[in-house]
Amino acid sequence: MEYPFWDVPLLGGGMLIGIIAILHVFVSHFAIGAGLFLVLTEIKARRENDTALLGYLKRHSTFFILVVLVFGAVSGVGIWWAIGLVHPSATSALIHIFVWAWAIEWVFFLVELLAAFIYYYGWNRLSARTHIAVGWVYFAGAWLSLFMINGILTFMLTTGRWTETRSLADAFFNPSMLPSLLVRTAVTIALAGLYALITASAEADESLRERVVKYASKWVLAGISVIPFGGIWYISRIPDQAREISMGGAPVVTLFAAASVVFSAFVLLATLLGPFLFPRRFHVTFAFVIVALGLVTTGVTEWVREAVRKPYILYDYMYSNAVRTEEVQLVYEQGVLGTAKWDLLHEVDRADLLKVGEQVFRFHCQSCHTVNGFNGIKFAVKGWEKDFLDIQLQNLNQLKGYMPPFLGNEEERKALVEWLYSLNNPPQQTARR
Amino acid sequence: MPVVIPPADPAGLPAPAWLLQILLVFTFILHIVAMNLLAGGTTIMAIAHWKGKSNPFFAALGARLCKALPVTMSLTITLGIAPLLFVQVLYGQAFYTASILMAWPWLLVVALVLLAYYGLYLVQFRPDWLGRWVTPIAWVSAIFILVVGLLYTHNATLNLAPEKWAQMYAQSAAGLHLNWSEPTLIPRYLHFMVAAFAVTGLGIMLLSLLYRSSDSSWADEAKRFGARLFIGATIVQLAVGLWFLFSLPNSFMQSFIGGNTVHTIILWAGVLLAVLAMLVVNRSALGAVALTILAIALMSVTRHSLRGMYLSPHLDVNAIPVNPQWVVFVIFVVLLVAGLGVVGWMVWQFVRGGQAEAQSTS
Ligand code: HEM
C-alpha cells in the first residue's frame, strides 16, 4: 500500500524471514538459557571444588560466545533487516508503537553483550565471586531482553485492548504476553541443556563426559516438561479464530501444530532414552540428532505461530497485505491500485487487463503468495475457470478464513481473474486453439 | 515519473522530533567511532599479518590488534542498532523505501558482517590451524567490512534521493538497485574510510599504552606508527573532504561555505579540530583522541544537517504528530544510566583483575 513491494522470486519474502527467524530463535533462546546454565554450573563446580567441571565450562563458554555473540547477534539484526524489507508498514508500526520499549531492549542487550565478553575473557582475571556476579548480570540482561522482545512479538497476535486505547502499556502487557514468556523461558532452559549435550559429548575425559551429559539432559527434561503447561495457557489466550485455524480450520496449519507437539515429544523421548538413561554411551552424533529434532520443533512451532495470525500481520489492526483495518472502506472505494502508492504502471498499460491484474496481485496478494514458488498462486488456481475465480475472489475472507477480504473494485477483480486464469492458460496458446 | 513518498506512520512520534534527532546523532557517533576502529583496525591487522612475516613489530601488531577486533565488531553492531532504531522512527519513509530498492545488496550486509566476524575469530583463535591461510582470511574479513561500509553509503545516499525512487522501482521490483549514479557516493564513502584509518592510528596509540611496561620498545614503535597513520590519513582526509564538499549539489555546498552561518561554523570547526589533533598527536595521544572525537561529533552533526537539506522538499520530521510517552522515556533513561553503571563496574573489575594478574605473574 504505502511502500514498494519487494518481489522475492520462488521463496517469497515470508519464507525468507522464516528461515532467518527460525535460526535466530534457536540460537537466541539458547543464549539466554546458557547464561543460567553457566552460572549455576559454575557455582556448583566451585562449591564442590570440581576443577574438571570448571574446565568443561571454560570450553563450553568458548562455544557459547562463538554461537551466541556472533550468530545470535547478527541473525537478530538479520530479522530486523528482513522484516523491514518484506513488511515495511508492519515493521514501521512495531517500531513506532514501541520506540521506547525497543530502546530499553537495546540497553539490556548492551549490558548482556558486554557481560558475555567479560565473563568469557574473565575466567582467569576475575575472582570467583566477581566472575559469578558477571555471569548473573549476563543472565539478567539476556532474560530481560527476552522480556522486552516477547512483549512486542506477542502483541502481533494479541493486540488486546490496544486497538481501542492505543496505550503502550496495553500493547506491551497484552493477553498472551505472560504465557508466551513462560513458554519461551522454558525453551531457553531446554536449549541450554541441548547445546550443552553437544559440548559435553565432545569431552575427552570419560567420567566427566558421563557426568555432564547426564546433568545437561536434566536441563532439557526440566525445560520441556514446563512447555505444555505454558502452551495450554498460551493457546487459551489467543484469539478464537487463531485457535480454530490451528485446530482444524486450516489443514496445513493443523498438521504443523500437531507436528510441533510430536517433535517436542521426540526431543523428550530421545533425551530420556539417550543421555539421561545411558549417559555413558552417549555419542556426539546422537547429540546432533537431538539438536536437529529441536531445530525442527522450533521451526514448525514458529511457523504455526506465524500462520495462526492470518489474515492479519498485526491482529485486528493490519492485514497481511498491509491494509489497515480502518482503511478497508477507503480501499474499497478507491480500489487497490487507487490506494497503492507504488503502482507505477504506465498509462498505456492500464488498458491491458493482464498487466493491471498482475499489479493488483502484487500489491494485494503477493505479501503471502508467490507466483510459482512457495504458496504459489499458479498451482492454487490450476483448473479454475474464470467464473469460479471470480466467485472465490468475491468471498475470499469467508471461503478462506485465513485470507483478508479482496478489496479491489469490480474492474480490478476482473483484471485479476484474467491474470490468474492466464497463469495456467497462456493467452497465445488459448488464442491458437 | 512522479516523486512517490510513503506517508508517515500514523502512530506518530513518542517524543518531540528534536529529542529523537539528538539521540540519532549521538548514537550514530558512537557507532561510527566503533566502526572506524573496526574497518581501519581489520585492514591494518591484515597488512600487519602480511608484513609480519619478516618484521617482528608488525607480527606483534597483528596479533595484538587481532585480540581486540571481535569486541570491536560486536560494539560496532550493537552501537549500530540504536541509530537504526531512531532512523526508522524519524525517517522510516525514506529508510524502508531505499532499502527495498536495494534489498538484496542490503541483505548482503548481514551475511558479510557474519562472515567477517567469524573470520576475525578464526584468525584470533585458530592461527595454527589456519597456517598460511591466516593472512588471506584476515584480508577477507577486512574486504567484507570495507564492502559493508560501501553498501551503507549506497543506502544512506539512496535514502536522500526520493526523486530517484519511482524511476528505479518502475524499472524493477527485484531489489537489485544500487546508487552508483550518485556523484557524492565515492567521496562520501572515502570520507568515512579514510577517517577509519586515522581513528585506528589513535587506537593503536592507545593500544600501545597497555604494553608500556611489558614490552616497552614495541610500545614506543607502535605509538610512533599510530601517530604517523593518524597524521597521514588526516592529511588525505582534507583532500577527500574537499572533494566531498564540491561534489554536493551547489546550493548545499554554498550553505557550508558561508551561505548558512551555523552550518559553516560547525563544519569548519570540525576541520579545525582535526588539524589541531594532528598538531598535538605527538605530544599527547589522549589530547588528540579528545579533539578527534569532537571533530567526529561535529562532522556527524554536519552529516545530519545535510540530510535535512536533501529531504526538506519531500518530508519534514517536524510535521509528524507527537504523542509523547514521557513515563517510558524516563524509564529508558534510568535503565540506561543503571546499565552503563553496571557495565562500568564490570569493566573496572576486569581492568583491575588484569593488573592483579600482571603483578602476580611478574
Ligand atoms: C562491519 C560493519 C559496519 C560498517 C563497516 C558500517 C559502516 C557504516 C557507515 C560507513 C555508515 C555511514 C554511511 C553514510 O552516511 O554514507 C554507517 C551508518 C549507519 N550504520 Fe553502520 N556499519 C556497520 C554495521 C552496522 C550494523 C550491523 C548496524 C545495525 C545494527 C549499523 C547501523 C548503522 C546505521 C543505522 C547507520 C546510519 C545512521 C543514520 O543514517 O543516521 N551499522 N555505517
Side-chain angles (χ1 to χ4, degrees):
Chain A
M1 291 264 307
E2 295 166 348
Y3 286 96
F5 176 83
W6 174 32
D7 189 356
V8 183
L10 301 180
L11 210 55
M15 193 67 163
L16 190 72
I17 298 178
I19 294 171
I20 305 177
I22 288 166
L23 292 174
H24 176 70
V25 165
F26 197 60
V27 169
S28 60
H29 284 70
F30 159 59
I32 300 159
L36 193 63
F37 180 88
L38 284 168
V39 212
L40 289 183
T41 316
E42 182 182 352
I43 292 175
K44 173 178 148 78
R46 292 203 192 264
R47 204 177 39 219
E48 297 165 7
N49 245 330
D50 187 341
T51 45
L53 186 57
L54 267 183
Y56 160 74
L57 282 179
K58 285 181 197 173
R59 290 184 287 279
H60 185 60
S61 67
T62 306
F63 170 81
F64 161 79
I65 62 160
L66 286 177
V67 172
V68 168
L69 294 185
V70 186
F71 191 84
V74 178
S75 59
V77 174
I79 296 187
W80 204 351
W81 247 244
I83 61 172
L85 293 172
V86 175
H87 295 299
S89 297
T91 307
S92 171
L94 285 180
I95 290 282
H96 283 86
I97 295 167
F98 290 104
V99 177
W100 300 125
W102 287 111
I104 291 171
E105 201 258 353
W106 175 72
V107 172
F108 291 140
F109 183 66
L110 193 68
V111 172
E112 162 187 354
L113 185 96
L114 286 157
F117 275 114
I118 291 178
Y119 186 83
Y120 177 69
Y121 290 109
W123 276 109
N124 300 323
R125 277 179 94 140
L126 301 177
S127 69
R129 251 190 66 206
T130 316
H131 193 251
I132 290 173
V134 171
W136 281 118
V137 171
Y138 171 79
F139 174 63
W143 188 81
L144 287 168
S145 307
L146 173 70
F147 179 84
M148 297 308 297
I149 196 84
N150 174 67
I152 300 173
L153 288 181
T154 49
F155 166 80
M156 296 177 76
L157 177 60
T158 49
T159 43
R161 282 169 16 141
W162 174 85
T163 47
E164 291 137 39
T165 63
R166 295 287 148 109
S167 111
L168 176 58
D170 283 330
F172 188 84
F173 297 101
N174 63 70
S176 68
M177 180 248 185
L178 280 178
S180 166
L181 188 63
L182 178 66
V183 174
R184 286 178 185 275
T185 304
V187 169
T188 68
I189 305 290
L191 283 181
L194 215 54
Y195 280 74
L197 282 178
I198 300 183
T199 50
S201 60
E203 284 291 311
D205 173 350
E206 208 161 304
S207 84
L208 176 69
R209 183 171 68 222
E210 185 180 338
R211 265 193 304 140
V212 183
V213 163
K214 174 99 179 184
Y215 174 77
S217 71
K218 289 183 195 157
W219 281 69
V220 181
L221 298 177
I224 291 196
S225 51
V226 176
I227 295 175
F229 301 101
I232 291 170
W233 185 15
Y234 177 78
I235 291 170
S236 75
R237 289 299 186 88
I238 65 178
D240 294 339
Q241 188 181 347
R243 208 167 24 246
E244 277 157 26
I245 287 179
S246 65
M247 298 184 179
V252 190
V253 186
T254 311
L255 203 70
F256 270 68
S260 162
V261 177
V262 171
F263 276 100
S264 312
F266 280 166
V267 175
L268 181 83
L269 275 179
T271 309
L272 206 60
L273 299 178
F276 183 72
L277 287 180
F278 306 103
R280 183 188 298 262
R281 270 187 273 157
F282 191 63
H283 191 264
V284 76
T285 319
F286 195 38
F288 277 106
V289 170
I290 306 185
V291 168
L293 286 172
L295 181 60
V296 174
T297 314
T298 311
V300 291
T301 314
E302 287 290 307
W303 190 87
V304 172
R305 197 179 57 73
E306 284 292 308
V308 298
R309 208 174 51 232
K310 302 269 152 60
Y312 298 102
I313 184 144
L314 302 174
Y315 226 84
D316 289 332
Y317 174 67
M318 187 187 283
Y319 286 112
S320 297
N321 54 12
V323 174
R324 289 189 182 78
T325 46
E326 61 196 25
E327 291 164 341
V328 165
Q329 193 56 34
L330 182 83
V331 181
Y332 210 64
E333 282 157 14
Q334 302 186 354
V336 169
L337 298 185
T339 45
K341 292 193 82 128
W342 293 86
D343 160 35
L344 300 168
L345 208 57
H346 209 281
E347 274 320 308
V348 292
D349 290 330
R350 297 257 171 234
D352 186 337
L353 276 186
L354 290 183
K355 287 202 168 130
V356 173
E358 187 178 6
Q359 287 291 88
V360 174
F361 177 75
R362 170 179 292 177
F363 291 106
H364 214 46
C365 323
Q366 215 175 343
S367 54
C368 298
H369 292 282
T370 64
V371 178
N372 44 22
F374 181 73
N375 202 11
I377 200 69
K378 183 174 168 184
F379 312 108
V381 300
K382 205 174 182 95
W384 291 15
E385 290 305 320
K386 289 184 186 175
D387 293 348
F388 187 66
L389 277 166
D390 201 39
I391 293 173
Q392 287 280 330
L393 285 181
Q394 287 185 46
N395 302 293
L396 209 53
N397 53 328
Q398 273 127 39
L399 291 171
K400 312 250 181 344
Y402 44 85
M403 276 202 243
F406 178 75
L407 296 176
N409 55 32
E410 178 134 11
E411 217 175 296
E412 289 172 339
R413 204 180 67 235
K414 294 277 180 250
L416 184 56
V417 166
E418 287 299 326
W419 181 76
L420 287 171
Y421 185 75
S422 76
L423 292 174
N424 292 302
N425 311 276
Q428 310 88 319
Q429 220 172 307
T430 355
R432 246 184 276 129
R433 249 190 252 150
Chain B
M1 267 295 155
V3 178
V4 186
I5 315 267
D9 196 280
L13 301 178
W18 60 262
L19 179 59
L20 294 161
Q21 283 173 308
I22 290 177
L23 287 168
L24 168 62
V25 174
F26 178 70
T27 54
F28 175 75
I29 296 168
L30 301 180
H31 168 60
I32 225 64
V33 171
M35 180 286 275
N36 283 338
L37 290 168
L38 174 72
T42 308
T43 314
I44 297 287
M45 190 265 287
I47 295 175
H49 266 103
W50 169 56
K51 284 192 154 188
K53 284 174 195 139
S54 53
N55 177 327
F57 166 72
F58 278 110
L61 180 64
R64 284 166 186 176
L65 273 177
C66 177
K67 275 199 227 162
L69 285 170
V71 182
T72 313
M73 171 63 108
S74 198
L75 284 175
T76 304
I77 297 171
T78 311
L79 296 173
I81 292 174
L84 183 66
L85 170 64
F86 296 118
V87 90
Q88 291 184 48
V89 174
L90 286 163
Y91 305 101
Q93 298 147 272
F95 177 80
Y96 298 120
T97 309
S99 302
I100 289 168
L101 290 170
M102 56 177 287
W104 284 113
W106 188 231
L107 212 53
L108 187 65
V109 165
V110 179
L112 292 178
V113 167
L114 187 70
L115 295 173
Y117 202 164
Y118 273 123
L120 290 176
Y121 267 123
L122 260 181
V123 173
Q124 188 192 344
F125 285 170
R126 287 297 181 87
D128 303 332
W129 181 71
L130 284 176
R132 57 197 183 80
W133 287 97
V134 172
T135 308
I137 298 280
W139 273 113
V140 168
S141 281
I143 289 167
F144 281 6
I145 290 169
L146 295 176
V147 172
V148 167
L150 181 60
L151 291 171
Y152 257 98
T153 299
H154 273 287
N155 186 283
T157 51
L158 195 53
N159 260 272
L160 304 181
E163 65 290 343
K164 293 185 187 172
W165 298 341
Q167 180 74 44
M168 283 183 165
Y169 191 64
Q171 226 175 54
S172 155
L176 288 167
H177 298 284
L178 278 169
N179 200 19
W180 289 115
S181 68
E182 172 61 45
T184 62
L185 180 82
I186 299 299
R188 180 172 178 141
Y189 171 63
L190 290 179
H191 201 46
F192 280 101
M193 292 306 137
V194 173
F197 286 95
V199 172
T200 299
L202 295 178
I204 291 174
M205 293 181 84
L206 294 183
L207 189 71
S208 77
L209 295 179
L210 295 179
Y211 296 90
R212 230 174 359 185
S213 53
S214 59
D215 189 353
S216 65
S217 68
W218 183 84
D220 286 343
E221 197 168 349
K223 195 169 163 227
R224 278 196 303 276
F225 175 78
R228 272 209 314 276
L229 184 60
F230 175 71
I231 294 174
T234 306
I235 290 173
V236 175
Q237 187 70 300
L238 293 176
V240 171
L242 284 179
W243 178 15
F244 185 16
L245 184 62
F246 288 116
S247 69
L248 291 175
N250 194 36
S251 61
F252 300 173
M253 181 190 71
Q254 291 297 336
S255 76
F256 287 115
I257 52 172
N260 177 312
T261 318
V262 179
H263 292 160
T264 307
I265 291 179
I266 293 179
L267 171 64
W268 295 98
V271 176
L272 187 68
L273 289 172
V275 173
L276 281 179
M278 274 200 289
L279 297 178
V280 305
V281 70
N282 277 312
R283 254 166 295 156
S284 159
L286 289 178
V289 169
L291 289 167
T292 304
I293 289 181
L294 269 180
I296 294 175
L298 292 180
M299 290 293 169
S300 302
V301 173
T302 297
R303 173 179 178 275
H304 182 69
S305 316
L306 188 61
R307 162 162 35 213
M309 295 178 201
Y310 275 105
L311 289 181
S312 63
H314 309 290
L315 43 94
D316 175 9
V317 285
N318 293 308
I320 305 177
V322 178
N323 308 306
Q325 300 170 345
W326 293 118
V327 179
V328 206
F329 173 69
V330 171
I331 297 177
F332 160 63
V333 173
V334 169
L335 286 170
L336 180 61
V337 172
L340 291 179
V342 173
V343 168
W345 174 79
M346 291 189 300
V347 171
W348 179 66
Q349 292 291 337
F350 189 73
V351 172
R352 229 179 44 156
Q355 282 158 358
E357 198 183 30
Q359 264 157 22
S360 67
T361 49
S362 65

